[in-house]
Amino acid sequence: MTDLAWVIGWHISCNFQYNQCMFGEAQLLERLPVHGLGKPLFFYRTIGSTNDRALELARGGAPHGTLVVADEQTSGRGRAGRPWLTRPGAGLAFSLLIRPGDGDPDYQPLSLNVLGALALVEQLRTRGAAASIKWPNDVLLAGRKVAGILTETAWLGERLECVIVGIGVNVRAESVPRRTELDYPAVSVNEIMEAPVPRIDLLCAVLESMAGWLPRLGSAEFVRALRENTAFLGERVRLEWEGGALEGVMEGVNGQGAAQLRMPGGVVRLVEGGGYRLRAIRPPGGPSSTPR
Ligand code: BTN
């Protein structure tokens, strides 16, 4: 091996180790919990899916605030059964367990889904980035997808036992999937921000926002914050799902997490649930609805 090749190899290895050790159980434990979220912590260097692990823990009685974090996911899941790969050192993948307690607001899984998106958008905006919530599952940064949310539930008979809010963020450029694997143009946090954002800072900041909003879920303030951060607000959009489609003007998201679409006759229609694909309808020659 030439000296140059050895020096390059050494730098790559140091960088990799630096990234690895800055994001480990010990570093997370120094910063967690954040207002009760993140305790207990289950950290994995490699796992199949943090949502699967969190669901398993929920069924075993894990408390509210339990957090599962992984550096790498080998079978991470996105919506509609799509894969969500998390490469080591490149992305942020975590699942937060929300367990409604006595006297807590009536947690709607969809409102927790948009809460996850809102918390991330707020934190990216605080850092000066143009982030927005693309209802129902995505976070956009500079018009491209930077993160996805997958909310899943555990039931005990008729009663909602737990909601798992799983969040996956493209942090470094290597975390962005290849173009052929994409359903929507994608980007990473570090490609857009002036300075790289440490994953641990982003994670703690998102938990901080979530903790702040949790007691105010469904409130007028929550609805206002959702509205201010909704992508395509006031624009004509097309919602597609298996077997149907709908076009209207995006008016915002209500306190339960449902999208509000103004129909051609003026009536505002609420759209709930998952499995939707949202696109802006933009005139030819105008800004693209699927930015490159
Ligand atoms: C989507 O955009 O389709 C949602 C992606 C959600 C991915 C996150 S990564 C952490 C958590 N664990 C999973 O297996 N999925 C979610």
Side-chain angles (χ1 to χ4, degrees), residues 49-51 73 76-79 84 94 138 145 148-149 167-168:
S49 151
T50 56
N51 263 35
Q73 285 190 120
R77 291 181 291 109
R79 73 190 167 95
W84 182 277
F94 64 95
D138 301 341
K145 177 164 173 169
I149 324 286
I167 304 186

Side-chain angles (χ1 to χ4, degrees), residues 227-250:
R227 191 181 152 79
E228 281 165 4
N229 292 292
T230 296
F232 317 135
L233 194 70
E235 282 189 62
R236 273 176 52 73
V237 293
R238 181 176 169 83
L239 258 187
E240 289 170 8
W241 63 93
E242 219 178 283
L246 193 66
E247 290 186 6
V249 173
M250 177 55 96

